[in-house]
Amino acid sequence: MKQPELGKRIFELRKGKGLTQEELVEQCNINVRTIQRIEAGEVNPRSYTVKIILEALGEDLNEIDVISKKESVESNWTEGELKTLNNSWIFGVFYAILNLVGVLVLLYLATSNVSKVDVLSFKIPYAIVFFILIIPFLNGYKLLAQKFNNILLLNAVYVYFVISVLMTIIMFFTKSSGFISALEIVLSVTSMMIFGVGELIMGLGILKLKENIGSIAQITGIIKIVNGILLVTVVLSPIALFLMIGILILEVVLLHNTFKKFNSLITHDGKAHS
């Protein structure tokens, strides 16, 4: 931790312990003027000196560094990053609506005798809009993964996108109407399992965000993990598909709340920069 943050932290810790500068000096055997200058942010003390002071205050230097890094990440957001995060939840709303429409239309096509032309007239524009929406939606997660050094979530975003491409390709090979061939059954089962893996990995990545975002990330992560497991079983996949829209809404809330949190933090501190 660098000055003046270090001095402020030591001042807060000392006050929290109810110690005067003179009382702290007695415990760590350092000149009172040195303590005064450190707390005022006038000097950059050696790590050995900082360690002695923190030990006297019952704190660990490594723990202080972790807190400092976390606070630095929370306050170091550019306007462009905040815009990406804001766009992510907005596109997420439309992505959730698209998925709901997709489920309803595909159910209709599966139970109705419609021509291949009619089926494709839905699938082609659906696929185009799907990719227009999913990229900015996932960009929010990608940004959070990069900001918080969440390698698992970053890899999950890439895996989830690849799986989404595969799912869309598989969709074009199923008729969604009339007789279902053995090939279509295999493709449907495979797609469920692949999608389940994607949900599971994304859930694990989001769960790791609980340290930075809080309980909503923990709840969302756990639910996506459970949903992924349901999809992988195939037999329980109808339950998972029923939960999908609700989970997407929860993800939108997570991204929206995260944007509000860091945007208000930056606005309050006046530290946003381009």
Side-chain angles (χ1 to χ4, degrees):
M1 182 181 291
K2 297 180 179 180
Q3 291 286 31
E5 288 79 12
L6 175 62
K8 291 179 181 178
R9 178 70 67 181
I10 291 175
F11 173 79
E12 291 169 357
L13 290 171
R14 180 174 61 78
K15 285 294 184 180
K17 296 287 184 180
L19 298 174
T20 64
Q21 290 179 334
E22 289 74 15
E23 289 171 333
L24 178 58
V25 165
E26 292 177 3
Q27 294 187 29
C28 59
N29 197 28
I30 293 176
N31 186 281
V32 68
R33 178 55 182 159
T34 301
I35 296 291
Q36 291 172 346
R37 295 182 68 191
I38 291 174
E39 289 190 356
E42 297 175 357
V43 294
N44 288 306
R46 292 175 295 180
S47 58
Y48 176 75
T49 303
V50 176
K51 184 178 180 181
I52 292 176
I53 295 173
L54 292 177
E55 285 179 351
L57 293 169
E59 295 292 329
D60 183 74
L61 178 59
N62 293 329
E63 192 173 315
I64 293 293
D65 284 339
V66 169
I67 294 173
S68 175
K69 289 177 181 178
K70 181 180 178 181
E71 290 177 346
S72 176
V73 170
E74 290 183 348
S75 62
N76 188 26
W77 285 77
T78 66
E79 291 180 356
E81 289 171 338
L82 288 172
K83 184 177 180 181
T84 297
L85 200 55
N86 189 40
N87 288 340
S88 179
W89 77 262
I90 293 174
F91 276 91
V93 171
F94 292 106
Y95 180 65
I97 294 172
L98 179 71
N99 275 269
L100 177 59
V101 171
V103 170
L104 294 176
V105 173
L106 287 176
L107 283 174
Y108 169 76
L109 293 176
T111 56
S112 304
N113 187 21
V114 294
S115 66
K116 291 182 179 180
V117 175
D118 291 332
V119 172
L120 287 176
S121 66
F122 165 73
K123 288 184 176 180
I124 292 175
Y126 178 87
I128 293 172
V129 177
F130 180 85
F131 287 115
I132 290 175
L133 296 178
I134 194 173
I135 293 174
F137 172 58
L138 290 178
N139 274 343
Y141 282 123
K142 180 182 176 182
L143 174 62
L144 291 176
Q146 292 171 334
K147 293 292 287 186
F148 298 118
N149 196 29
N150 188 336
I151 304 301
L152 177 59
L153 180 58
L154 185 61
N155 290 329
V157 169
Y158 294 131
V159 170
Y160 196 87
F161 180 75
V162 171
I163 287 175
S164 298
V165 173
L166 291 175
M167 289 281 291
T168 305
I169 293 173
I170 290 173
M171 181 182 70
F172 278 93
F173 283 92
T174 54
K175 297 176 183 177
S176 297
S177 63
F179 178 73
I180 300 177
S181 66
L183 175 61
E184 288 181 309
I185 294 174
V186 172
L187 288 174
S188 297
V189 170
T190 302
S191 65
M192 284 296 108
M193 295 181 69
I194 292 174
F195 186 46
V197 172
E199 281 284 284
L200 184 58
I201 296 173
M202 276 293 290
L204 290 170
I206 294 173
L207 181 60
K208 196 175 178 182
L209 285 175
K210 66 179 181 179
E211 300 172 3
N212 313 103
I213 297 175
S215 59
I216 189 169
Q218 183 177 18
I219 294 169
T220 305
I222 291 173
I223 293 177
K224 281 187 78 69
I225 290 171
V226 172
N227 205 51
I229 294 172
L230 293 175
L231 285 165
V232 170
T233 65
V234 179
V235 178
L236 299 174
S237 60
I239 300 175
L241 293 175
F242 177 77
L243 295 173
M244 278 303 302
I245 305 302
I247 294 173
L248 281 172
I249 293 173
L250 188 58
E251 290 185 72
V252 168
V253 172
L254 182 152
L255 291 166
H256 176 258
N257 287 358
T258 304
F259 166 74
K260 283 185 64 179
K261 173 185 176 180
F262 294 119
N263 186 53
S264 62
L265 186 68
I266 297 302
T267 302
H268 176 74
D269 292 340
K271 294 181 180 179
H273 54 281
S274 58

